[in-house]
């Protein structure tokens, strides 16, 4: 039985103002897909329409082969993991996970068995007698996931589930969620505004802006081949510059030039025309001597972040470049003259 999620021409308006417009996507059975975008982009409204907490103004929503467009949340077989965990503080872990089952008239003995299985899946079986106040943030999140899993939903929804955790714990819990989702194979929809989180956890990402989908793709495809300036800038850091196509190569690639530095682009472009280019900061390599085929620049600022160094440069032509350097070379000082080369694998032509 398929547990795919599909939106067909879905729109949602509040008081005549569109929050989501003409949204179309397909989440295949067992996938984890993230809705990503800035505040107000429509991602949470879209998630709530999957859950049945909001009904669309237009279009159709399918879960599996069932049209659930007008089906209530209680009848959709959807589990929700909230940002605030929403655990009952006066209840034990076991009672929290059993609550939904007991509310649906499941016998106590069976509810305990199902809850124990769900808690075992998330590694919390040994803490069933504790109260939420006795758990860490990561442990509370696992209990919240177990409570959603215990009803055996067709689709599991995550509403910014890591936003209450510190950075180090976020990295660990997001991997726990990903591992758990893969083990169980439940179709999942995940909402976040955190680009790194989306890249780390998703099979596919749906990038949204102002209620519309800007691009859908795998994390690698979106990072390496963004289709617009917005997506390039939102999926990690980037440099937006103007370059010129010099010539077409016999293998279907194009030679580009930026302030004298030449590099290959993987797609066929029109020679002698200018293009808007997204260059990832890690695709720029810096040298202290002129190595040829490079851009001369001056270091405006320099930051050491342990695992890498970050530089802001100004080229002789006046363009500013942001560079991430993962080498073990000595840190460059402000005012230093450098020569930058570009790896074309980190460059994409984008719409303005």
């Amino acid at each position: 039985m398929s547990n795919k999620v599909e939106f067909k021409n879905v729109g949602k308006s509040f008081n005549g103002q569109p929050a989501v417009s003409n949204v179309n996507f397909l989440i295949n059975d067992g996938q984890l897909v993230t809705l990503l975008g800035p505040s107000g982009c429509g991602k949470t409204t879209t998630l709530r329409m999957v859950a049945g907490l909001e009904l669309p103004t237009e279009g159709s929503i399918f879960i599996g082969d069932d049209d659930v467009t007008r089906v209530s949340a209680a009848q959709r077989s959807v589990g929700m993991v909230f940002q605030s965990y929403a655990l009952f503080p006066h209840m034990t872990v076991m009672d929290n996970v059993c609550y939904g089952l007991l509310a649906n008239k499941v016998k106590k003995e069976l509810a305990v068995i199902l809850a124990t299985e769900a808690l075992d899946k998330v590694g919390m079986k040994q803490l069933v007698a504790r109260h939420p106040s006795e758990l860490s943030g990561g442990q509370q999140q696992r209990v919240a996931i177990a409570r959603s899993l215990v009803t055996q939903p067709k689709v599991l929804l995550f509403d910014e589930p890591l936003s209450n955790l510190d950075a180090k714990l976020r990295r660990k819990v997001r991997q726990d969620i990903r591992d758990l989702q893969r083990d169980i194979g439940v179709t999942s929809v995940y909402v976040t505004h955190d680009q790194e989180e989306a890249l780390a956890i998703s099979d596919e990402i749906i990038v949204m802006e102002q209620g519309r989908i800007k691009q859908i793709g795998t994390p690698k495809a979106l990072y390496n081949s963004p289709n617009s300036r917005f997506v390039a800038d939102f999926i990690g850091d980037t440099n937006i510059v103007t370059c010129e196509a010099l010539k077409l190569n016999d293998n279907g690639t194009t030679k580009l030039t930026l302030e004298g530095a030449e590099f290959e682009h993987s797609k066929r472009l029109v020679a002698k025309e200018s293009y808007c280019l997204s260059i990832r900061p890690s695709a720029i390599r810096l040298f202290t001597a002129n190595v040829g085929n490079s851009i001369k620049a001056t270091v405006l600022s320099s930051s050491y972040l342990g695992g890498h160094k970050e530089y802001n440069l100004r080229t002789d032509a006046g363009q500013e470049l942001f560079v991430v350097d993962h080498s073990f070379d000595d840190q460059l000082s402000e005012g230093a003259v450098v020569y930058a080369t570009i790896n074309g694998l980190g460059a994409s032509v984008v719409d303005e």
Side-chain angles (χ1 to χ4, degrees), residues 4 21 39 44 53 60 79 94 125 131 143 146 160 178 190 200-201 210 221 232 252 290 335 352:
K4 67 183 181 181
S21 302
S39 297
T44 298
L53 300 174
S60 303
M94 176 60 75
K125 183 179 177 180
H131 288 78
V143 175
E160 304 224 28
R178 184 54 170 148
Y190 194 102
I201 205 169
Q210 297 181 345
N290 190 344
E352 289 279 6

Side-chain angles (χ1 to χ4, degrees), residues 43-58:
K43 59 185 185 294
T44 298
T45 299
T46 301
L47 186 81
R48 289 175 63 83
M49 285 194 286
V50 178
L53 300 174
E54 300 285 357
L55 297 181
T57 309
E58 57 189 11

Side-chain angles (χ1 to χ4, degrees), residues 12-181:
K12 175 65 179 178
S13 297
F14 295 97
N15 299 319
Q17 296 297 316
V20 170
S21 302
N22 194 34
V23 167
N24 292 273
F25 61 75
L26 172 64
I27 300 173
N28 288 313
D29 193 11
Q31 275 192 315
L32 189 155
V33 173
T34 296
L35 301 171
L36 175 68
S39 297
C41 72
K43 59 185 185 294
T44 298
T45 299
T46 301
L47 186 81
R48 289 175 63 83
M49 285 194 286
V50 178
L53 300 174
E54 300 285 357
L55 297 181
T57 309
E58 57 189 11
S60 303
I61 299 173
F62 294 84
I63 295 179
D65 296 322
D66 299 325
D67 186 340
V68 298
T69 309
R70 300 295 162 191
V71 174
S72 69
Q75 297 175 304
R76 287 199 184 189
S77 187
V78 170
M80 190 89 161
V81 180
F82 295 97
Q83 180 177 342
S84 59
Y85 316 137
L87 301 177
F88 296 112
H90 63 287
M91 291 184 179
T92 65
V93 166
M94 176 60 75
D95 290 340
N96 265 285
V97 178
C98 283
Y99 180 82
L101 294 171
L102 297 176
N104 287 320
K105 310 301 183 183
V106 175
K107 290 184 178 181
K108 176 72 173 180
E109 296 79 5
L110 178 57
V112 170
I113 292 172
L114 294 174
T116 301
E117 291 175 354
L119 286 165
D120 190 34
K121 287 177 181 177
V122 299
M124 293 294 293
K125 183 179 177 180
Q126 72 280 12
L127 301 177
V128 295
R130 291 193 184 181
H131 288 78
S133 62
E134 300 173 289
L135 303 175
S136 69
Q139 289 171 331
Q140 290 184 55
Q141 188 58 272
R142 293 186 191 197
V143 175
I145 294 171
R147 184 183 56 191
S148 295
L149 288 173
V150 76
T151 58
Q152 299 179 329
K154 294 180 179 178
V155 180
L156 194 56
L157 309 180
F158 294 89
D159 184 12
E160 304 224 28
L162 308 183
S163 59
N164 289 334
L165 306 179
D166 63 58
K168 188 173 183 179
L169 188 55
R170 260 201 315 271
R171 286 193 295 273
K172 183 181 187 312
V173 177
R174 78 186 183 202
Q175 189 59 50
D176 289 344
I177 290 174
R178 184 54 170 148
D179 291 343
L180 179 64
Q181 188 271 336

